[in-house]
Amino acid sequence: LVVPKDKSVEELVEMRLGAVFMPCGMGHFIGIDTHDVGGYLTGQPERVMQPGLKSLRTARVIEPAMVLTVEPGCYFIEHLLNEALEDGSPFVTYLDAGLVNEFRDFGGIRLEDVVAITDTGFINYTLCPRTVSEVESVMAGGKWPPMKDEAPELCRDRLTDPNPLPPPPPSC
């Protein structure tokens, strides 16, 4: 889809080319409401109004005990594609128009993980297939969750736990 030509990946990111395919935010806080807004608070970083960043639901400094979603995606939105491929667009020379056009009717895809921030990193509570081999295994009827985590870098600490959810509280 993207043809770097005379630009590095970093330069294309700085140009905000990614906003053509992911114009939305990267996730949201999980709180009292499922989609807790988090917001822009006094004393925290201010909203950035650049494409691909202006829709972030917060710029708060992430701290231990916060729970949020991480939702990277790739979308093929007609008006954004049209604008990016127009003559004079700063992006037109860096996009393979033929390949982009093949995906116009695809819509898009998003992966969503729920993570809890810890003192030393995070715990990923999403227990669904993420790697190519995991997806292919499940599609072929394989066991899920697996006995061994093939992607420990995803920090899915409870993935191979035979009882990944705590027992329900005793009833009254």
Side-chain angles (χ1 to χ4, degrees):
L1 295 175
V2 176
V3 183
K5 295 188 180 177
D6 63 332
K7 301 278 187 199
S8 68
V9 170
E10 291 78 14
E11 289 171 312
L12 294 172
V13 168
E14 188 65 30
M15 288 174 58
R16 312 301 321 144
L17 177 61
V20 172
F21 301 100
M22 189 174 163
C24 54
M26 276 290 292
H28 53 81
F29 284 95
I30 300 289
I32 294 172
D33 286 325
T34 302
H35 284 81
D36 196 354
V37 294
Y40 289 85
L41 307 176
T42 304
Q44 295 288 323
E46 294 185 16
R47 182 185 293 267
V48 175
M49 295 308 293
Q50 294 178 338
L53 298 176
K54 64 185 177 184
S55 297
L56 292 174
R57 293 192 177 101
T58 189
R60 289 173 59 182
V61 175
I62 303 299
E63 300 175 8
M66 289 181 169
V67 179
L68 55 145
T69 65
V70 179
E71 304 179 24
C74 183
Y75 304 93
F76 298 90
I77 301 168
E78 194 72 18
H79 80 275
L80 295 177
L81 298 175
N82 290 342
E83 290 172 12
L85 292 171
E86 282 178 354
D87 287 338
S89 161
F91 307 127
V92 69
T93 60
Y94 301 104
L95 295 172
D96 180 331
L99 193 53
V100 168
N101 289 331
E102 285 183 37
F103 286 95
R104 278 189 184 265
D105 295 327
F106 177 72
I109 187 167
R110 174 179 68 207
L111 301 176
E112 182 169 338
D113 289 316
V114 174
V115 299
I117 306 304
T118 68
D119 289 326
T120 58
F122 66 94
I123 298 170
N124 185 342
Y125 284 101
T126 302
L127 303 179
C128 62
R130 281 290 187 257
T131 68
V132 171
S133 63
E134 288 174 350
V135 171
E136 288 175 346
S137 174
V138 169
M139 290 179 68
K143 180 182 178 330
W144 192 263
M147 299 301 291
K148 180 175 187 274
D149 187 356
E150 72 170 48
E153 67 277 8
L154 297 177
C155 298
R156 302 177 295 183
D157 293 359
R158 303 182 84 162
L159 184 65
T160 57
D161 185 337
N163 299 304
L165 299 176
S171 56
C172 298

